[in-house]
Amino acid sequence: MAQHEDHMRHVAEGHAEEADMGVEHHHPSPWLYVKIGVLLTVITIVEVWAYYIPAWVNSWVFVPSLLIMSVVKFVIVVMYYMHLKFDHRLFRALFTGPLIIAVTTIIALLFLFGKIAVRG
């Protein structure tokens, strides 16, 4: 009876092919979401704090460090709160493929229009 309920739950969640294979999804506990929320809060505090340090704002490290922290927060939100980490690999590829193309295009345009320069 429990197998039938698991199968029906997988089918209802749109995972019919995995239901037929008997694959069980692991979803994080509420405590993990609290830890993720705290981590995102700490990263945001560091981002805001960095803005108030003149030496950091005036250095070349400022913008890349903010971009890296933003990317980390983005990845955490997408992987856990959007449950992409627990979805099929196809969905990850459909999300990350175009994202990589978009980021590469934006960086190329920044180089093209002189907003980023390679100093040699």
Side-chain angles (χ1 to χ4, degrees), residues 101-119:
I101 293 169
V103 168
T104 304
T105 303
I106 289 171
I107 291 171
L109 289 171
L110 288 170
F111 275 110
L112 180 65
F113 291 110
K115 301 300 180 184
I116 299 177
V118 178
R119 300 190 196 331

Side-chain angles (χ1 to χ4, degrees), residues 43 47 61-74 106-107 110 116:
I43 294 172
E47 287 175 328
V61 178
F62 181 63
V63 173
S65 65
L66 288 180
L67 289 173
I68 290 169
M69 287 186 276
S70 295
V71 167
V72 168
K73 289 191 324 184
F74 174 80
I106 289 171
I107 291 171
L110 288 170
I116 299 177

Side-chain angles (χ1 to χ4, degrees), residues 16-77:
E17 71 284 347
E18 292 179 7
D20 293 334
M21 294 185 297
V23 174
E24 182 65 31
H25 288 284
H26 170 72
H27 288 281
S29 68
W31 179 241
L32 181 61
Y33 286 115
V34 170
K35 290 193 268 187
I36 292 169
V38 169
L39 176 63
L40 293 171
T41 303
V42 168
I43 294 172
T44 303
I45 289 169
V46 171
E47 287 175 328
V48 173
W49 174 67
Y51 185 74
Y52 291 101
I53 301 173
W56 196 353
V57 172
N58 295 327
S59 76
W60 67 271
V61 178
F62 181 63
V63 173
S65 65
L66 288 180
L67 289 173
I68 290 169
M69 287 186 276
S70 295
V71 167
V72 168
K73 289 191 324 184
F74 174 80
V75 168
I76 291 170
V77 168

